[in-house]
Amino acid sequence: ELYQWTDASGVRYYTSDPDSIPEVYRPSARDIGSPRPREALPVETRRDVDPGVMPFGGGAPIVAAVEINGAALRLIVDTGADRTMISPAAVVRAGLSATGGRPVQILGVTGSAVGTELVVPQMDVAGARVGPLRVVVHEATAGRADGLLGRDVLDFFTLTIDSTAGRAILKPR
């Protein structure tokens, strides 16, 4: 079972352990059941673009070329991330507002933080158009990348990693 509660600042939290919910929020916590498969996003395959081939090697992360509103972004492929995360600067480059969205709690291996949820009408990834999509806007320490490409998008692709050839391929399902 999965439980959800919202703190006094409006940040939503999720847990499978009801004892981890702070006492003050337990009365308002609700059982949202077991995780369910994601709803299918509309995916339109573009015939004029080859599947996304991403070279990698030397310990560097796999980086996908993504476009939002014609703005080119570089997102690190992160199969461990539930959601796609984009930096505020990249969101602004794409012509979207990085403020005014709903606050969301981000939990990861390095700790927790608060980000903003934003609806991206359409994202071009590996020859396919995906959207609308809810992404998290947060300043990530992703080096030269603009954020992370999470499973909310990757679930609609087949990811093939060929470490011998030093490339990864994203292909729409």
Side-chain angles (χ1 to χ4, degrees):
E1 297 302 309
L2 197 58
Y3 301 89
Q4 172 193 333
W5 79 96
T6 305
D7 71 11
S9 299
V11 177
R12 282 190 191 166
Y13 296 83
Y14 298 89
T15 184
S16 60
D17 178 12
D19 293 331
S20 69
I21 301 170
E23 191 69 39
V24 67
Y25 299 115
R26 286 185 187 171
S28 64
R30 56 188 193 106
D31 180 349
I32 60 172
S34 298
R36 296 173 299 279
R38 290 186 175 94
E39 293 179 25
L41 291 174
V43 176
E44 174 190 326
T45 302
R46 291 174 42 200
R47 303 285 181 219
D48 62 329
V49 179
D50 292 328
V53 176
M54 302 163 289
F56 70 93
I62 298 169
V63 178
V66 173
E67 283 188 18
I68 299 175
N69 289 338
L73 306 179
R74 295 172 34 87
L75 301 181
I76 295 173
V77 174
D78 189 344
T79 60
D82 288 330
R83 305 273 302 273
T84 295
M85 183 171 64
I86 303 174
S87 74
V91 168
V92 170
R93 268 196 346 261
L96 301 170
S97 173
T99 62
R102 183 175 66 87
V104 291
Q105 181 73 22
I106 304 166
L107 300 174
V109 295
T110 60
S112 67
V114 176
T116 303
E117 185 178 68
L118 171 72
V119 175
V120 172
Q122 181 174 288
M123 180 184 292
D124 291 334
V125 181
R129 292 188 173 131
V130 181
L133 177 69
R134 293 181 184 275
V135 300
V136 175
V137 179
H138 181 68
E139 193 62 59
T141 56
R144 289 201 224 170
D146 296 303
L148 305 174
L149 189 63
R151 286 194 331 264
D152 56 343
V153 173
L154 294 172
D155 283 352
F156 300 98
F157 292 83
T158 299
L159 173 63
T160 304
I161 298 174
D162 183 348
S163 57
T164 304
R167 67 180 186 165
I169 301 171
L170 267 180
K171 184 175 180 182
R173 289 186 185 195

